[in-house]
């Protein structure tokens, strides 16, 4: 919901609203003692502003990974999650790419 002005400066406004988006991820799991890939697609997610912490006191600068928090909502059809289990990582990746509308070489994966 933030904007970038003509000087390239990021402007955060108190009335900014983050957009809804779909989010996908995969994890490994064992099924009948065989490694499988579970792909999960969350249909409608809205993220809050990321939490950042900086520590520059002392002789060393310490860095930390920012954390993100999001809320999952039902989509227009009432669905909030889709998932499928695949034999290969590539199949899980292709499933998520298709859900996200990612195209490779001018056509959907």
């Amino acid at each position: 919901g933030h904007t970038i002005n003509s000087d390239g400066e990021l402007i955060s406004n108190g009335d900014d609203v983050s957009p809804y988006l779909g989010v996908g991820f995969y994890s490994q799991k064992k099924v009948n003692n065989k490694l499988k890939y579970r792909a999960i697609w969350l249909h409608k997610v809205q993220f809050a502003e990321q939490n950042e912490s900086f520590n520059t006191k002392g002789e060393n600068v310490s860095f930390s990974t920012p954390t993100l928090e999001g809320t999952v909502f039902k989509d227009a059809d009432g669905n909030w999650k889709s998932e499928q289990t695949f034999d290969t990582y590539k199949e899980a990746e292709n499933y998520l790419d298709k859900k996200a509308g990612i195209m490779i070489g001018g056509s959907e994966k």
Side-chain angles (χ1 to χ4, degrees):
H2 303 319
T3 58
I4 297 177
N5 69 16
S6 59
D7 294 329
E9 180 181 32
L10 176 67
I11 306 296
S12 301
N13 185 284
D15 294 326
D16 289 347
V17 177
S18 63
Y20 295 104
L21 53 121
V23 175
F25 58 95
Y26 73 93
S27 65
Q28 294 179 341
K29 73 179 200 175
K30 283 210 173 179
V31 177
N32 297 325
N33 231 12
K34 291 184 180 180
L35 188 61
K36 304 278 185 172
Y37 296 87
R38 178 181 175 212
I40 298 168
W41 181 256
L42 303 174
H43 295 248
K44 185 177 180 182
V45 181
Q46 186 176 43
F47 287 100
E49 187 75 26
Q50 70 183 14
N51 295 321
E52 296 178 300
S53 64
F54 303 99
N55 184 4
T56 58
K57 292 184 178 180
E59 292 184 24
N60 298 318
V61 176
S62 62
F63 298 92
S64 63
T65 303
T67 58
L68 287 176
E69 292 185 24
T71 303
V72 178
F73 296 91
K74 294 185 285 186
D75 65 14
D77 296 324
N79 302 318
W80 67 274
K81 179 177 82 167
S82 297
E83 68 177 85
Q84 194 166 344
T85 300
F86 299 94
D87 291 328
T88 68
Y89 159 78
K90 192 65 177 167
E91 291 172 311
E93 180 184 46
N94 288 342
Y95 170 83
L96 293 174
D97 285 349
K98 187 173 181 180
K99 290 283 189 190
I102 294 174
M103 301 176 74
I104 301 297
S107 62
E108 261 189 27
K109 281 180 110 180

